[in-house]
Amino acid sequence: MYEKVLVPFDDSEPARKALQSAMELVQGAEAPQLTVLNVVDWHDYNAETFKIASRMSGVLGDSLDMNAISEIGDEAEVRETDRIAKSIADIVGDAAFVDIAIVNGSPHDTIVAYANDLDYDCIVMGHRGMGVIRGMLGSVAFSVLQKANRPVLVVK
């Protein structure tokens, strides 16, 4: 039985089905923990390339207000967390063991890294059903299956 389950979530119908399956999977576990992971590709305003480009274009001066930039990212994360919470409320109800995590990065690598770093028992994710060729050419589910070193349940 799995107690600590990660569910990558992009608000698609396959992701919603995966979340439903994950809820069933942890049912009856002694101390279930389910994390709904939303991977976003926000700009990294702390990156040196952003700082240099900003200065060169004259948009920002020599000193960046990193606190202001950080606040913008924090606000975006709060808005995204609220949006996801509303979207999954009909599936998770008031389950106290469900958390939402918003992480910046490429979905393929971020999902696997997050699962490894926080030692999840299983990854449960949706599959868009685009066929074998499409899956081999870049499906997130296919990539996670190839890279993960833990069980992955792909829900259609």
Side-chain angles (χ1 to χ4, degrees):
M1 176 177 299
Y2 300 114
E3 287 193 358
K4 190 172 181 182
V5 175
L6 180 65
V7 182
F9 190 82
D10 63 0
D11 214 10
S12 65
E13 190 56 34
R16 293 180 62 75
K17 288 179 182 177
L19 180 56
Q20 290 169 338
S21 294
M23 291 291 289
E24 294 170 10
L25 191 63
V26 298
Q27 202 170 39
E30 189 173 312
Q33 180 182 350
L34 193 148
T35 301
V36 177
L37 176 67
N38 184 249
V39 181
V40 293
D41 192 10
W42 288 328
H43 300 290
D44 183 2
Y45 296 112
N46 291 317
E48 278 303 310
T49 52
F50 173 77
K51 294 175 187 177
I52 292 167
S54 297
R55 288 185 194 117
M56 289 176 65
S57 67
V59 174
L60 296 173
D62 289 335
S63 64
L64 293 174
D65 184 353
M66 295 314 293
N67 290 333
I69 291 172
S70 179
E71 287 175 17
I72 292 169
D74 293 345
E75 289 173 15
E77 184 176 341
V78 168
R79 281 193 308 273
E80 189 66 11
T81 300
D82 289 344
R83 185 188 70 75
I84 297 291
K86 288 176 185 170
S87 176
I88 66 173
D90 61 322
I91 299 171
V92 301
D94 59 356
F97 59 86
V98 177
D99 293 319
I100 298 172
I102 309 295
V103 179
N104 185 24
S106 166
H108 300 84
D109 298 322
T110 303
I111 293 166
V112 174
Y114 195 90
N116 289 341
D117 292 347
L118 297 173
D119 199 28
Y120 281 85
D121 298 330
C122 181
I123 301 169
V124 179
M125 60 189 307
H127 185 274
R128 295 198 188 269
M130 293 184 213
V132 174
I133 300 300
R134 174 70 177 131
M136 292 172 63
L137 294 177
S139 164
V140 174
F142 182 81
S143 182
V144 170
L145 277 169
Q146 297 302 308
K147 295 177 180 180
N149 62 356
R150 64 199 64 248
V152 178
L153 172 62
V154 179
V155 179
K156 282 187 148 189

